[in-house]
Amino acid sequence: MFQVKQIVNDIFTSNTWMLFDDCYDYCWLVDIGDYEKVADALPPGIKVKGLFLTHTHFDHTYGINALHKAHPDCRVYTAEYGKIALYDDKKNFSKYHEASFTYNGDDVEVLNEGDQLEIFPGMILTAYATPGHCPSCLTYVVGNWIFTGDAYIPEVKVVTKLPMGDRVYAKKSTEKILALANGKIICPGHGGMI
């Protein structure tokens, strides 16, 4: 049975979401913070098949190198700008915090509006471009679940004052997300699921 597990990270209490099904020996992640917490939450014998990034700000990506080391076959999915930001500590904002980093891997795949992946047999993940907070923002819909990152956090105004933020795009993205979220469980980048 398909399940979603929330992992709250230490930096800015960002979320990592683990998507798994008891019938399979692999799982997927949405965003990566504290890899140690992910490793502790992984059932025995389960590998991480892929990482879907909602955006590439450091608090949603800082565990990516530890993840890559532990699961070298894990694919990373992000937007076009996200692929650039993973390899640039200024664009992922880690340069301005305690632990500057860039991604060590070369397994990044770009997702665009409407791209789909079958993450488990019969279970489709669809990516939607939702820029505004950051040009790399993607929202993912899987069945009755929607993973919004920082593009939409219920009852919190979208932050657009950071470099590359855009209020106009953020407003359009919020409207899009709310339409997509109708009747779904919202899993944001910070805070609990709703």
Side-chain angles (χ1 to χ4, degrees):
M1 178 171 62
F2 179 73
Q3 298 176 59
V4 174
K5 180 180 179 78
Q6 179 182 14
I7 298 167
V8 179
N9 300 302
D10 290 337
I11 295 180
F12 297 155
T13 61
S14 65
N15 289 323
T16 293
W17 300 97
M18 184 181 295
L19 289 58
F20 61 100
D21 188 309
D22 295 336
C23 298
Y24 303 98
D25 66 350
Y26 60 90
C27 72
W28 302 83
L29 300 178
V30 176
D31 292 340
I32 181 67
D34 300 318
Y35 177 71
E36 299 79 17
K37 290 184 179 184
V38 169
D40 289 344
L42 279 172
I46 300 296
K47 63 185 177 192
V48 180
K49 191 168 186 177
L51 168 66
F52 296 101
L53 296 175
T54 61
H55 64 299
T56 48
H57 287 165
F58 84 103
D59 56 322
H60 296 264
T61 59
Y62 66 89
I64 195 168
N65 288 323
L67 172 65
H68 178 69
K69 184 176 181 181
H71 300 270
D73 294 330
C74 174
R75 303 295 299 169
V76 177
Y77 300 90
T78 187
E80 186 69 43
Y81 182 81
K83 186 173 183 178
I84 295 165
L86 283 174
Y87 299 101
D88 186 324
D89 62 352
K90 288 181 184 176
K91 288 182 171 57
N92 68 37
F93 297 161
S94 68
K95 182 176 179 67
Y96 311 105
H97 294 275
E98 291 179 20
S100 175
F101 74 91
T102 58
Y103 183 41
N104 294 333
D106 61 357
D107 51 2
V108 179
E109 293 188 30
V110 171
L111 293 178
N112 296 296
E113 174 75 19
D115 283 351
Q116 296 186 323
L117 278 86
E118 186 173 42
I119 60 171
F120 298 105
M123 181 69 69
I124 303 297
L125 176 142
T126 306
Y128 295 92
T130 51
H133 174 66
C134 173
S136 67
C137 285
L138 292 172
T139 293
Y140 304 102
V141 174
V142 182
N144 291 324
W145 305 81
I146 183 167
F147 302 89
T148 60
D150 291 1
Y152 177 74
I153 301 171
E155 299 182 21
V156 175
K157 185 176 179 181
V158 178
V159 175
T160 58
K161 292 183 179 181
L162 297 169
M164 303 297 289
D166 188 298
R167 253 183 332 173
V168 174
Y169 282 143
K171 184 173 189 264
K172 290 177 183 175
S173 291
T174 296
E175 292 168 359
K176 181 182 197 174
I177 290 168
L178 289 174
L180 290 167
N182 188 25
K184 293 181 175 54
I185 299 166
I186 299 171
C187 300
H190 303 265
M193 63 177 73
I194 296 177

